[in-house]
Amino acid sequence: MTDNTHTFGDGRLAASVHAKGAELCALRASGRDLLWGGGAPWQRQSPVLFPIVGRLAEDTAWVEGKPYRMTQHGFARDCTFRWLARDETGCRLELVDTDETRGMFPFAFSLVIEYRIEQGILSVRYCVTNPDGTRVLPASLGAHPAFIWPLAPDVPKNRHVITFDEPEPAPIRRVRDGLLLPEGLPTPIQGRTLALDEALFAPDALILDRLASHGLTYHIPGGPGLRLAWEGFPYLGLWMKPGADFLCIEPWHGLASPVGFSGDFSTRPGVFHLQPGQEWRAGWQVGCI
């Protein structure tokens, strides 16, 4: 344990979390890394996306007629959270608004994230609270964990699949220059199965905005895999950089601004709205199969 990083586990699964960004930075089972290690071509590992998911048009949030500059995925991933609790099986961290954050996002907020490992499963829980007594808080939040791909070093990437809990026949969405394109595209998911291939991600992320499932299995048929489940997140993003050895499986409550969008921040797709004193909660979990 250090001021910057906390490592915890239960003997079956072990994880580490940085204070910066409250970012999951390691996940291991039986000495095997399950999380991307960072470095070229993507330095991050599991950033927290808050208070936006994706990009804003011209990187600008308009709030009550005033512009606020905020870059892709928001600022939480670059802020240092404070530790609320740390023990052998988990930790809890908090980020609150400051003068610096209010220069990008003129709202009061508290974001608490809890990591916990029990019975070989990592659970991640989020709680956003609106402490303002008079003003509604509009925000989005998303997870962005990058799991290793391939899951076994001697298995080609294109032998991996994602099996969703439910059939996913709805069209998918794509982005261009980080902004959400208006049209849906035919899904590459066949029933419940997505055959993974780097070519899927050449146009950028694959976005499910009419998601039926609350969980999936990312695996090598007949071999190792990961089981993920989520609650409170209506959307899912899948993303990787072609040539890199990771796959991001991202539960979201929020989407990039649509191409041509010029409205108030509070009207962006996927934003939740918290009345004074209200909380928003969501979470996801992962374990080996």
Side-chain angles (χ1 to χ4, degrees), residues 270-282:
V271 168
F272 54 81
H273 300 84
L274 299 182
Q275 298 295 321
Q278 189 177 10
E279 296 179 345
W280 173 88
R281 294 178 179 269

mmCIF file with all atom_site columns, all heavy atoms in Angstrom, residues 270-282:
data_model
loop_
_atom_site.group_PDB
_atom_site.id
_atom_site.type_symbol
_atom_site.label_atom_id
_atom_site.label_alt_id
_atom_site.label_comp_id
_atom_site.label_asym_id
_atom_site.label_entity_id
_atom_site.label_seq_id
_atom_site.pdbx_PDB_ins_code
_atom_site.Cartn_x
_atom_site.Cartn_y
_atom_site.Cartn_z
_atom_site.occupancy
_atom_site.B_iso_or_equiv
_atom_site.pdbx_formal_charge
_atom_site.auth_seq_id
_atom_site.auth_comp_id
_atom_site.auth_asym_id
_atom_site.auth_atom_id
_atom_site.pdbx_PDB_model_num
ATOM 1   N N   . GLY A 1 270 ? -28.067 10.381 -23.241 1.00 0.00 ? 270 GLY A N   1
ATOM 2   C CA  . GLY A 1 270 ? -27.483 9.544  -22.200 1.00 0.00 ? 270 GLY A CA  1
ATOM 3   C C   . GLY A 1 270 ? -27.182 10.243 -20.897 1.00 0.00 ? 270 GLY A C   1
ATOM 4   O O   . GLY A 1 270 ? -26.661 9.614  -19.976 1.00 0.00 ? 270 GLY A O   1
ATOM 5   N N   . VAL A 1 271 ? -27.494 11.535 -20.787 1.00 0.00 ? 271 VAL A N   1
ATOM 6   C CA  . VAL A 1 271 ? -27.237 12.258 -19.538 1.00 0.00 ? 271 VAL A CA  1
ATOM 7   C C   . VAL A 1 271 ? -28.281 11.872 -18.495 1.00 0.00 ? 271 VAL A C   1
ATOM 8   O O   . VAL A 1 271 ? -29.464 11.754 -18.795 1.00 0.00 ? 271 VAL A O   1
ATOM 9   C CB  . VAL A 1 271 ? -27.270 13.779 -19.801 1.00 0.00 ? 271 VAL A CB  1
ATOM 10  C CG1 . VAL A 1 271 ? -27.295 14.572 -18.497 1.00 0.00 ? 271 VAL A CG1 1
ATOM 11  C CG2 . VAL A 1 271 ? -26.062 14.194 -20.636 1.00 0.00 ? 271 VAL A CG2 1
ATOM 12  N N   . PHE A 1 272 ? -27.842 11.636 -17.257 1.00 0.00 ? 272 PHE A N   1
ATOM 13  C CA  . PHE A 1 272 ? -28.803 11.494 -16.158 1.00 0.00 ? 272 PHE A CA  1
ATOM 14  C C   . PHE A 1 272 ? -28.898 12.833 -15.422 1.00 0.00 ? 272 PHE A C   1
ATOM 15  O O   . PHE A 1 272 ? -27.969 13.649 -15.462 1.00 0.00 ? 272 PHE A O   1
ATOM 16  C CB  . PHE A 1 272 ? -28.451 10.344 -15.213 1.00 0.00 ? 272 PHE A CB  1
ATOM 17  C CG  . PHE A 1 272 ? -27.061 10.371 -14.631 1.00 0.00 ? 272 PHE A CG  1
ATOM 18  C CD1 . PHE A 1 272 ? -26.749 11.172 -13.541 1.00 0.00 ? 272 PHE A CD1 1
ATOM 19  C CD2 . PHE A 1 272 ? -26.059 9.550  -15.154 1.00 0.00 ? 272 PHE A CD2 1
ATOM 20  C CE1 . PHE A 1 272 ? -25.475 11.180 -12.986 1.00 0.00 ? 272 PHE A CE1 1
ATOM 21  C CE2 . PHE A 1 272 ? -24.778 9.550  -14.610 1.00 0.00 ? 272 PHE A CE2 1
ATOM 22  C CZ  . PHE A 1 272 ? -24.488 10.370 -13.528 1.00 0.00 ? 272 PHE A CZ  1
ATOM 23  N N   . HIS A 1 273 ? -30.029 13.068 -14.777 1.00 0.00 ? 273 HIS A N   1
ATOM 24  C CA  . HIS A 1 273 ? -30.300 14.347 -14.119 1.00 0.00 ? 273 HIS A CA  1
ATOM 25  C C   . HIS A 1 273 ? -30.618 14.094 -12.651 1.00 0.00 ? 273 HIS A C   1
ATOM 26  O O   . HIS A 1 273 ? -31.559 13.365 -12.341 1.00 0.00 ? 273 HIS A O   1
ATOM 27  C CB  . HIS A 1 273 ? -31.475 15.063 -14.800 1.00 0.00 ? 273 HIS A CB  1
ATOM 28  C CG  . HIS A 1 273 ? -31.239 15.350 -16.249 1.00 0.00 ? 273 HIS A CG  1
ATOM 29  N ND1 . HIS A 1 273 ? -31.467 14.420 -17.245 1.00 0.00 ? 273 HIS A ND1 1
ATOM 30  C CD2 . HIS A 1 273 ? -30.776 16.456 -16.866 1.00 0.00 ? 273 HIS A CD2 1
ATOM 31  C CE1 . HIS A 1 273 ? -31.155 14.951 -18.418 1.00 0.00 ? 273 HIS A CE1 1
ATOM 32  N NE2 . HIS A 1 273 ? -30.743 16.187 -18.215 1.00 0.00 ? 273 HIS A NE2 1
ATOM 33  N N   . LEU A 1 274 ? -29.825 14.696 -11.765 1.00 0.00 ? 274 LEU A N   1
ATOM 34  C CA  . LEU A 1 274 ? -29.994 14.503 -10.332 1.00 0.00 ? 274 LEU A CA  1
ATOM 35  C C   . LEU A 1 274 ? -30.565 15.763 -9.708  1.00 0.00 ? 274 LEU A C   1
ATOM 36  O O   . LEU A 1 274 ? -29.981 16.854 -9.816  1.00 0.00 ? 274 LEU A O   1
ATOM 37  C CB  . LEU A 1 274 ? -28.659 14.164 -9.674  1.00 0.00 ? 274 LEU A CB  1
ATOM 38  C CG  . LEU A 1 274 ? -27.960 12.882 -10.157 1.00 0.00 ? 274 LEU A CG  1
ATOM 39  C CD1 . LEU A 1 274 ? -26.679 12.663 -9.360  1.00 0.00 ? 274 LEU A CD1 1
ATOM 40  C CD2 . LEU A 1 274 ? -28.878 11.690 -10.033 1.00 0.00 ? 274 LEU A CD2 1
ATOM 41  N N   . GLN A 1 275 ? -31.685 15.603 -9.042  1.00 0.00 ? 275 GLN A N   1
ATOM 42  C CA  . GLN A 1 275 ? -32.260 16.698 -8.275  1.00 0.00 ? 275 GLN A CA  1
ATOM 43  C C   . GLN A 1 275 ? -31.380 16.972 -7.045  1.00 0.00 ? 275 GLN A C   1
ATOM 44  O O   . GLN A 1 275 ? -30.544 16.155 -6.668  1.00 0.00 ? 275 GLN A O   1
ATOM 45  C CB  . GLN A 1 275 ? -33.683 16.336 -7.836  1.00 0.00 ? 275 GLN A CB  1
ATOM 46  C CG  . GLN A 1 275 ? -34.648 16.096 -8.985  1.00 0.00 ? 275 GLN A CG  1
ATOM 47  C CD  . GLN A 1 275 ? -34.895 17.337 -9.820  1.00 0.00 ? 275 GLN A CD  1
ATOM 48  O OE1 . GLN A 1 275 ? -34.991 18.444 -9.267  1.00 0.00 ? 275 GLN A OE1 1
ATOM 49  N NE2 . GLN A 1 275 ? -34.983 17.179 -11.126 1.00 0.00 ? 275 GLN A NE2 1
ATOM 50  N N   . PRO A 1 276 ? -31.532 18.138 -6.409  1.00 0.00 ? 276 PRO A N   1
ATOM 51  C CA  . PRO A 1 276 ? -30.729 18.429 -5.206  1.00 0.00 ? 276 PRO A CA  1
ATOM 52  C C   . PRO A 1 276 ? -30.797 17.286 -4.187  1.00 0.00 ? 276 PRO A C   1
ATOM 53  O O   . PRO A 1 276 ? -31.877 16.802 -3.842  1.00 0.00 ? 276 PRO A O   1
ATOM 54  C CB  . PRO A 1 276 ? -31.383 19.704 -4.671  1.00 0.00 ? 276 PRO A CB  1
ATOM 55  C CG  . PRO A 1 276 ? -31.887 20.401 -5.904  1.00 0.00 ? 276 PRO A CG  1
ATOM 56  C CD  . PRO A 1 276 ? -32.372 19.291 -6.795  1.00 0.00 ? 276 PRO A CD  1
ATOM 57  N N   . GLY A 1 277 ? -29.629 16.818 -3.772  1.00 0.00 ? 277 GLY A N   1
ATOM 58  C CA  . GLY A 1 277 ? -29.536 15.745 -2.795  1.00 0.00 ? 277 GLY A CA  1
ATOM 59  C C   . GLY A 1 277 ? -29.697 14.347 -3.354  1.00 0.00 ? 277 GLY A C   1
ATOM 60  O O   . GLY A 1 277 ? -29.503 13.367 -2.624  1.00 0.00 ? 277 GLY A O   1
ATOM 61  N N   . GLN A 1 278 ? -30.016 14.209 -4.638  1.00 0.00 ? 278 GLN A N   1
ATOM 62  C CA  . GLN A 1 278 ? -30.281 12.890 -5.222  1.00 0.00 ? 278 GLN A CA  1
ATOM 63  C C   . GLN A 1 278 ? -28.984 12.180 -5.576  1.00 0.00 ? 278 GLN A C   1
ATOM 64  O O   . GLN A 1 278 ? -27.956 12.808 -5.854  1.00 0.00 ? 278 GLN A O   1
ATOM 65  C CB  . GLN A 1 278 ? -31.159 13.041 -6.463  1.00 0.00 ? 278 GLN A CB  1
ATOM 66  C CG  . GLN A 1 278 ? -31.681 11.736 -7.041  1.00 0.00 ? 278 GLN A CG  1
ATOM 67  C CD  . GLN A 1 278 ? -32.614 11.976 -8.227  1.00 0.00 ? 278 GLN A CD  1
ATOM 68  O OE1 . GLN A 1 278 ? -32.738 13.076 -8.738  1.00 0.00 ? 278 GLN A OE1 1
ATOM 69  N NE2 . GLN A 1 278 ? -33.270 10.910 -8.660  1.00 0.00 ? 278 GLN A NE2 1
ATOM 70  N N   . GLU A 1 279 ? -29.030 10.831 -5.592  1.00 0.00 ? 279 GLU A N   1
ATOM 71  C CA  . GLU A 1 279 ? -27.885 9.991  -5.956  1.00 0.00 ? 279 GLU A CA  1
ATOM 72  C C   . GLU A 1 279 ? -28.193 9.193  -7.212  1.00 0.00 ? 279 GLU A C   1
ATOM 73  O O   . GLU A 1 279 ? -29.352 8.848  -7.473  1.00 0.00 ? 279 GLU A O   1
ATOM 74  C CB  . GLU A 1 279 ? -27.555 8.993  -4.837  1.00 0.00 ? 279 GLU A CB  1
ATOM 75  C CG  . GLU A 1 279 ? -27.111 9.608  -3.538  1.00 0.00 ? 279 GLU A CG  1
ATOM 76  C CD  . GLU A 1 279 ? -26.833 8.546  -2.484  1.00 0.00 ? 279 GLU A CD  1
ATOM 77  O OE1 . GLU A 1 279 ? -27.253 7.375  -2.687  1.00 0.00 ? 279 GLU A OE1 1
ATOM 78  O OE2 . GLU A 1 279 ? -26.207 8.867  -1.464  1.00 0.00 ? 279 GLU A OE2 1
ATOM 79  N N   . TRP A 1 280 ? -27.134 8.890  -7.957  1.00 0.00 ? 280 TRP A N   1
ATOM 80  C CA  . TRP A 1 280 ? -27.185 7.929  -9.069  1.00 0.00 ? 280 TRP A CA  1
ATOM 81  C C   . TRP A 1 280 ? -26.173 6.837  -8.767  1.00 0.00 ? 280 TRP A C   1
ATOM 82  O O   . TRP A 1 280 ? -25.027 7.124  -8.396  1.00 0.00 ? 280 TRP A O   1
ATOM 83  C CB  . TRP A 1 280 ? -26.846 8.614  -10.391 1.00 0.00 ? 280 TRP A CB  1
ATOM 84  C CG  . TRP A 1 280 ? -26.714 7.682  -11.554 1.00 0.00 ? 280 TRP A CG  1
ATOM 85  C CD1 . TRP A 1 280 ? -27.701 7.244  -12.382 1.00 0.00 ? 280 TRP A CD1 1
ATOM 86  C CD2 . TRP A 1 280 ? -25.494 7.065  -12.031 1.00 0.00 ? 280 TRP A CD2 1
ATOM 87  N NE1 . TRP A 1 280 ? -27.189 6.399  -13.346 1.00 0.00 ? 280 TRP A NE1 1
ATOM 88  C CE2 . TRP A 1 280 ? -25.839 6.273  -13.154 1.00 0.00 ? 280 TRP A CE2 1
ATOM 89  C CE3 . TRP A 1 280 ? -24.163 7.104  -11.614 1.00 0.00 ? 280 TRP A CE3 1
ATOM 90  C CZ2 . TRP A 1 280 ? -24.895 5.525  -13.861 1.00 0.00 ? 280 TRP A CZ2 1
ATOM 91  C CZ3 . TRP A 1 280 ? -23.219 6.361  -12.318 1.00 0.00 ? 280 TRP A CZ3 1
ATOM 92  C CH2 . TRP A 1 280 ? -23.594 5.591  -13.428 1.00 0.00 ? 280 TRP A CH2 1
ATOM 93  N N   . ARG A 1 281 ? -26.590 5.585  -8.905  1.00 0.00 ? 281 ARG A N   1
ATOM 94  C CA  . ARG A 1 281 ? -25.702 4.460  -8.616  1.00 0.00 ? 281 ARG A CA  1
ATOM 95  C C   . ARG A 1 281 ? -25.683 3.482  -9.784  1.00 0.00 ? 281 ARG A C   1
ATOM 96  O O   . ARG A 1 281 ? -26.709 3.255  -10.448 1.00 0.00 ? 281 ARG A O   1
ATOM 97  C CB  . ARG A 1 281 ? -26.141 3.718  -7.351  1.00 0.00 ? 281 ARG A CB  1
ATOM 98  C CG  . ARG A 1 281 ? -26.011 4.535  -6.078  1.00 0.00 ? 281 ARG A CG  1
ATOM 99  C CD  . ARG A 1 281 ? -26.510 3.770  -4.857  1.00 0.00 ? 281 ARG A CD  1
ATOM 100 N NE  . ARG A 1 281 ? -26.374 4.537  -3.640  1.00 0.00 ? 281 ARG A NE  1
ATOM 101 C CZ  . ARG A 1 281 ? -25.298 4.512  -2.847  1.00 0.00 ? 281 ARG A CZ  1
ATOM 102 N NH1 . ARG A 1 281 ? -24.283 3.705  -3.159  1.00 0.00 ? 281 ARG A NH1 1
ATOM 103 N NH2 . ARG A 1 281 ? -25.245 5.242  -1.756  1.00 0.00 ? 281 ARG A NH2 1
ATOM 104 N N   . ALA A 1 282 ? -24.531 2.895  -10.012 1.00 0.00 ? 282 ALA A N   1
ATOM 105 C CA  . ALA A 1 282 ? -24.375 1.862  -11.038 1.00 0.00 ? 282 ALA A CA  1
ATOM 106 C C   . ALA A 1 282 ? -23.123 1.066  -10.699 1.00 0.00 ? 282 ALA A C   1
ATOM 107 O O   . ALA A 1 282 ? -22.341 1.443  -9.810  1.00 0.00 ? 282 ALA A O   1
ATOM 108 C CB  . ALA A 1 282 ? -24.275 2.472  -12.435 1.00 0.00 ? 282 ALA A CB  1
#
